[in-house]
Amino acid sequence: MPGTMEALLSHDRVRAARAHIERSDEATLGRQAALSAIPAPTGAEAARGARVAAMLDEVGLQDVKVDEVGNVRAWHGSGERGAGSVVLSAHLDTVFGPELDVSVSRRGARLEGPGIADNARGLAALVAIGEALVRARVETQRPVLLAATVGEEGSGDLLGVRHLLDGPVRPYAFIALDGAGIERIVHRALGARRYHIIFCGPGGHSWAAFGIANPANAVGRAIALIADIPAHRAPRTAHSVVRLGGGTSLNSIPQTAWLDLDLRSEEPHALEKLDGAVQAILTQALEEENRHRLPGTAPLTVDVRRVGDRPSGLTPRTHPLVQAAVAATRAVGHEHQLACASTDANVPIALGVPAVALGGGGRSGDAHLPTEWYENDKGALGIVRALLVTAAMAEAT
């Protein structure tokens, strides 16, 4: 792979594409700000998707379309568009609801606004690479599919990329552009399972019906037991209660109370073991609350709904895709950091498709908060790195 990267660095058309990305740095920032200012909650990405489709069409990519679930697709290069293609993706959605103001402000090199890095930066990088490939007339042995996907965040459960890869044909390689950064190479997929758990009971007046089984008590018992699950560092696992609620008034025992859980692990068997421990805890919390109720009163029931299941796995560090990313990182003057995260790359990795996730350059902070920010420190170099990896896997000629 080092030899391949050296060849790319001296390849006239790839060099021209790199020069175009560097010259267009300010235009890329403008696209990033414009896209970030279009609300795109998970499940409501259509407006942002339409703008990305227009951008991809404007820069001259082929066969731009929006598919059945809302993914935006565009192509560069000729050849059979199937098993031999290289996919370059960036997700459209943000974690923020429609009520939040997602306008962007600029202070010098810093852009501020919810979702400005995750993933307006990835989308801007996607368009920039597509434009550079077209303008520099980079020819590749494998066609490149540029895709802006829906449903990457939270409850989306990777809907867009699942749909993109649904079918028997598997691409040659998959590269996700996610957030900022120039050094991280995500080659390990962080598995996650999400649950919505509802405890149900008869409910009643907080004085007159006191002593009946209380769904809120069961939620509390479950949370306390989950909090006592030991933390594991190798492989790293995490178990987080992320939301809870229930009840109708200050003087009523609720008929329902609920909690949402986020379970994660770097390793599939560890995630399975954690999941089993949580299921046992939910049963224990239900039984304990029912055991404390007044004789003759109705018991609680529990409804455990799995609302997310993100697969885990890895692309080996020795794989040519990971090695291309390592070489490209060094080529732009940085040392690589191999990492584990939950991204669109989870799905192709689980399907046996070599995949990585890369940042789009620059620096960022306050991810998933309304105060999110992005600073364009070596931003163009991050996009150049992704260009080099794409050109290596698509085999620029």
Side-chain angles (χ1 to χ4, degrees):
M1 188 52 64
T4 302
M5 193 55 60
E6 289 172 7
L8 282 176
L9 292 171
S10 61
H11 189 294
D12 287 344
R13 295 195 185 278
V14 173
R15 290 173 63 186
R18 173 176 183 165
H20 181 81
I21 289 170
E22 292 172 341
R23 285 196 310 269
S24 304
D25 194 30
E26 195 62 33
T28 298
L29 280 177
R31 290 185 182 123
Q32 182 178 346
L35 290 170
S36 190
I38 302 172
T42 300
E45 304 97 333
R48 184 177 287 185
R51 187 69 190 98
V52 170
M55 288 180 177
L56 295 175
D57 187 58
E58 288 164 6
V59 303
L61 290 162
Q62 306 164 14
D63 300 330
V64 180
K65 72 171 187 176
V66 178
D67 69 19
E68 298 83 357
V69 300
N71 295 324
V72 181
R73 306 184 186 205
W75 287 91
H76 174 74
S78 57
E80 185 178 352
R81 295 176 177 179
S85 61
V86 172
V87 178
L88 184 66
S89 81
H91 69 86
L92 288 161
D93 57 328
T94 73
V95 300
F96 306 104
E99 74 286 348
L100 189 69
D101 179 6
V102 293
S103 60
V104 177
S105 60
R106 183 166 184 174
R107 293 176 176 82
R110 175 173 284 202
L111 297 174
E112 298 178 353
I116 188 62
D118 184 13
N119 192 34
R121 183 61 186 177
L123 291 168
L126 183 76
V127 176
I129 292 171
E131 182 178 45
L133 291 171
V134 171
R135 294 291 176 86
R137 301 191 302 280
V138 177
E139 297 180 2
T140 58
Q141 291 188 27
R142 297 184 177 91
V144 179
L145 170 62
L146 296 92
T149 60
V150 299
E152 191 273 345
E153 298 285 8
S155 60
D157 201 33
L158 306 176
L159 168 67
V161 70
R162 291 182 196 273
H163 183 77
L164 194 70
L165 300 181
D166 183 26
V169 175
R170 295 285 174 257
Y172 179 74
F174 187 103
I175 303 156
L177 300 170
D178 202 329
I182 197 171
E183 295 174 336
R184 281 212 319 164
I185 301 167
V186 175
H187 73 115
R188 303 194 310 277
L190 178 61
R193 290 183 183 173
R194 281 78 181 258
Y195 287 97
H196 181 64
I197 299 111
I198 309 168
F199 288 94
C200 302
H205 194 280
S206 58
W207 173 258
F210 180 74
I212 66 170
N214 188 330
N217 289 351
V219 166
R221 294 178 192 276
I223 291 174
L225 292 166
I226 290 168
D228 286 338
I229 296 175
H232 294 280
R233 299 297 176 191
R236 186 182 173 195
T237 61
H239 45 275
S240 303
V241 177
V242 292
R243 293 192 303 180
L244 65 159
T248 56
S249 70
L250 192 59
N251 59 349
S252 300
I253 297 170
Q255 290 182 302
T256 61
W258 57 269
L259 70 152
D260 286 346
L261 288 176
D262 181 276
L263 312 178
R264 300 186 183 222
S265 179
E266 297 176 331
E267 201 275 324
H269 297 298
L271 182 59
E272 197 69 42
K273 184 176 179 180
L274 175 62
D275 196 335
V278 167
Q279 301 304 322
I281 282 172
L282 297 175
T283 299
Q284 182 180 345
L286 177 70
E287 291 175 348
E288 286 186 3
E289 182 58 24
N290 280 334
R291 191 162 53 246
H292 284 80
R293 78 185 192 276
L294 288 172
T297 59
L300 296 185
T301 60
V302 64
D303 180 12
V304 181
R305 304 176 187 175
R306 185 183 291 183
V307 294
D309 190 356
R310 295 176 175 235
S312 56
L314 62 84
T315 301
R317 64 178 63 200
T318 56
H319 190 277
L321 173 58
V322 180
Q323 289 302 301
V326 169
T329 307
R330 291 174 177 162
V332 297
H334 286 258
E335 285 302 315
H336 68 280
Q337 298 173 357
L338 297 180
C340 177
S342 179
T343 69
D344 266 348
N346 283 43
V347 170
I349 286 174
L351 292 172
V353 175
V356 295
L358 306 173
R363 300 189 303 117
S364 65
D366 291 354
H368 290 197
L369 294 174
T371 52
E372 187 173 351
W373 56 268
Y374 170 84
E375 286 186 357
N376 196 41
D377 178 22
K378 300 180 181 177
L381 285 183
I383 300 176
V384 168
R385 178 177 73 145
L387 167 73
L388 293 173
V389 178
T390 304
M393 300 315 293
E395 297 190 25
T397 58

